[in-house]
Amino acid sequence: MTWNNRHSLFAGLSLIVLVNAIALAGVAWNRSEPADSRLQVSERELSHSYPYWRKDNSGIALRLNYRWPNSKPNDYSYASLRQLSPEQMGAVGFKVPKELNDDSVRRYRRQLDRDGLLVLEFNGPLYQQQLQMAAEQLEKSRADLAALADNKQLIESHKQARETLQREQTSASRLFVIDAGSDLASLRARYPDRQRYAVVQGRFAAWAWHDAGRWQIGGSAQVPVAESINLPQRWHAVFAKLPRRPDTPGFPHSGGEPLLNAELVFGKRLEPWVVEFSAGQSEAQP
């Protein structure tokens, strides 16, 4: 049989159909019951993923906002990336040296990025710790300022502490990375509450740095599925009319965000999707 353009076209169309069928089957399996976890979030954890917006694209993509322990609101500094301990990096399969020197650190740092699992805690003890630390810092700055009321540096520190606590109370994400590993069953045994803890796929990278003249090692991780979560068409009209957070007197840039409530479900492939979506209300200001 002679291969011609008609055969090539048929083969190409068949491949497209097969790939789409596999993708749809994966989505269906991910969303089959029982789900792995369910989180009730707000605009603090779920926001518009603007980099994916185009004029010729009618879809709406949302971004899952998560944080690291002891991080400040909207902290994207270099230091904030070094959040995984050597033990956690070993748990996801990295070879962690027992002794740290130039050679062992070089080998550790050269390891390729790899996939693993991250545990996200929603509105739990880690968030309460962040609130407490922010409140304590405000109290300290208030006491310092009372002793030297005209000190410009203390005035600025007190202002920043007030703004940090206000953000923690009203707008900062309450979703924190709490643990890492490679075995879902083991992680679920440690974190069984499926309305408080979600397990997601992460992409891990090895880090090493000098601290006080000594090598330190650890790692960082990202959550690829957090970058773009599709909002189904049936809620686009709701999204377009979301109310905005009002400005708080005395706090610059405290308002403007679209207010929403959503239920996120994480399926068998640990990928999230939106099952409920509605307009939110502004929380009471402190």
Side-chain angles (χ1 to χ4, degrees):
M1 182 181 67
T2 302
W3 191 269
N4 54 36
N5 290 339
R6 180 178 298 177
H7 291 117
S8 298
L9 177 61
F10 178 77
L13 292 175
S14 298
L15 180 60
I16 292 173
V17 171
L18 177 61
V19 170
N20 288 336
I22 293 174
L24 291 174
V27 171
W29 184 75
N30 178 62
R31 298 188 180 188
S32 61
E33 294 292 345
D36 188 74
S37 59
R38 294 175 179 267
L39 300 182
Q40 303 286 340
V41 300
S42 74
E43 72 286 344
R44 299 171 66 167
E45 294 77 37
L46 199 63
S47 61
H48 197 184
S49 184
Y50 290 101
Y52 293 90
W53 180 86
R54 298 195 312 269
K55 289 184 178 180
D56 59 347
N57 184 359
S58 61
I60 295 176
L62 303 176
R63 176 191 297 272
L64 186 63
N65 303 316
Y66 59 93
R67 299 167 61 188
W68 295 91
N70 303 320
S71 66
K72 299 177 182 178
N74 303 319
D75 182 8
Y76 305 105
S77 66
Y78 176 82
S80 72
L81 297 175
R82 305 194 299 253
Q83 294 292 346
L84 291 167
S85 68
E87 292 75 18
Q88 290 171 324
M89 295 297 286
V92 297
F94 283 85
K95 295 181 180 179
V96 179
K98 295 181 180 180
E99 296 183 4
L100 299 183
N101 52 55
D102 290 352
D103 290 336
S104 65
V105 168
R106 188 180 301 108
R107 289 193 297 270
Y108 173 76
R109 194 162 46 186
R110 284 179 176 176
Q111 295 180 84
L112 297 178
D113 295 358
R114 63 173 62 222
D115 295 328
L117 301 176
L118 289 170
V119 181
L120 304 179
E121 178 186 274
F122 174 66
N123 200 17
L126 275 177
Y127 173 60
Q128 296 303 317
Q129 290 177 17
Q130 295 291 131
L131 281 176
Q132 182 177 353
M133 287 190 297
E136 290 174 351
Q137 185 60 39
L138 179 59
E139 285 301 312
K140 182 180 183 303
S141 71
R142 183 178 289 120
D144 292 342
L145 187 59
L148 294 170
D150 296 328
N151 187 290
K152 292 183 178 180
Q153 183 176 354
L154 293 180
I155 292 173
E156 181 62 25
S157 296
H158 180 64
K159 175 177 176 291
Q160 292 178 359
R162 286 180 65 245
E163 292 175 358
T164 295
L165 179 59
Q166 192 269 346
R167 285 194 298 268
E168 288 287 2
Q169 291 173 324
T170 62
S171 60
S173 175
R174 297 160 292 180
L175 190 64
F176 285 82
V177 178
I178 190 174
D179 208 348
S182 58
D183 183 70
L184 178 59
S186 297
L187 291 173
R188 270 291 165 219
R190 294 203 294 272
Y191 306 100
D193 187 345
R194 296 171 187 264
Q195 280 72 51
R196 179 80 67 191
Y197 299 99
V199 181
V200 293
Q201 297 283 350
R203 188 67 175 169
F204 293 75
W207 282 77
W209 63 96
H210 261 119
D211 187 8
R214 300 177 57 185
W215 278 113
Q216 301 288 334
I217 63 172
S220 65
Q222 296 179 329
V223 182
V225 296
E227 298 299 320
S228 181
I229 302 172
N230 178 64
L231 182 67
Q233 179 71 35
R234 62 183 179 275
W235 289 310
H236 284 197
V238 176
F239 184 88
K241 298 179 180 179
L242 289 176
R244 299 276 174 167
R245 185 189 303 279
D247 290 328
T248 302
F251 292 93
H253 314 298
S254 58
E257 301 96 336
L259 299 174
L260 61 90
N261 293 307
E263 181 178 3
L264 281 181
V265 176
F266 295 78
K268 286 183 165 55
R269 296 200 305 190
L270 309 180
E271 296 174 358
W273 74 98
V274 179
V275 297
E276 295 292 341
F277 188 86
S278 62
Q281 295 182 345
S282 179
E283 300 179 20
Q285 299 297 323

